[in-house]
Amino acid sequence: MVLTWKGNEAPTEIGVNRLAEDMDGNRVVVSGSHEAITDFGWGTIWQTAETKYARGEYQETESNRFVRVQTDDCKAQVGV
């Protein structure tokens, strides 16, 4: 499933949230931890978020879906 970044970004206590949309127009917040951003960068975080989202590994509120990506998620994605 392809997630499209909408250009919005907000720092949080544990990392950075980026607003995206899925192919159906649902709002999806991709939350990358500080460690994942430093160790892997947004390219890997984004690929990992898309994989997790496609598997249904996200939380949902009335207005958004949230995919949290941490270092261990990125390691699994790249096979480290």
Side-chain angles (χ1 to χ4, degrees):
M1 165 111 2
V2 175
L3 297 176
T4 304
W5 182 32
K6 302 310 287 179
N8 297 21
E9 178 176 287
T12 69
E13 189 174 306
I14 62 169
V16 175
N17 289 348
R18 285 189 169 180
L19 180 61
E21 281 186 356
D22 67 14
M23 293 172 48
D24 296 325
N26 296 305
R27 291 169 49 105
V28 180
V29 175
V30 176
S31 179
S33 71
H34 290 299
E35 294 83 7
I37 294 166
T38 300
D39 294 347
F40 292 94
W42 273 103
T44 300
I45 291 169
W46 209 262
Q47 290 174 342
T48 304
E50 288 181 325
T51 299
K52 290 182 74 171
Y53 190 78
R55 287 189 281 201
E57 296 176 14
Y58 59 86
Q59 292 79 40
E60 191 165 10
T61 66
E62 289 182 24
S63 57
N64 293 315
R65 295 176 178 179
F66 291 88
V67 179
R68 297 186 191 333
V69 179
Q70 299 178 347
T71 303
D72 287 344
D73 300 316
C74 292
K75 287 180 182 178
Q77 180 75 22
V78 299
V80 173

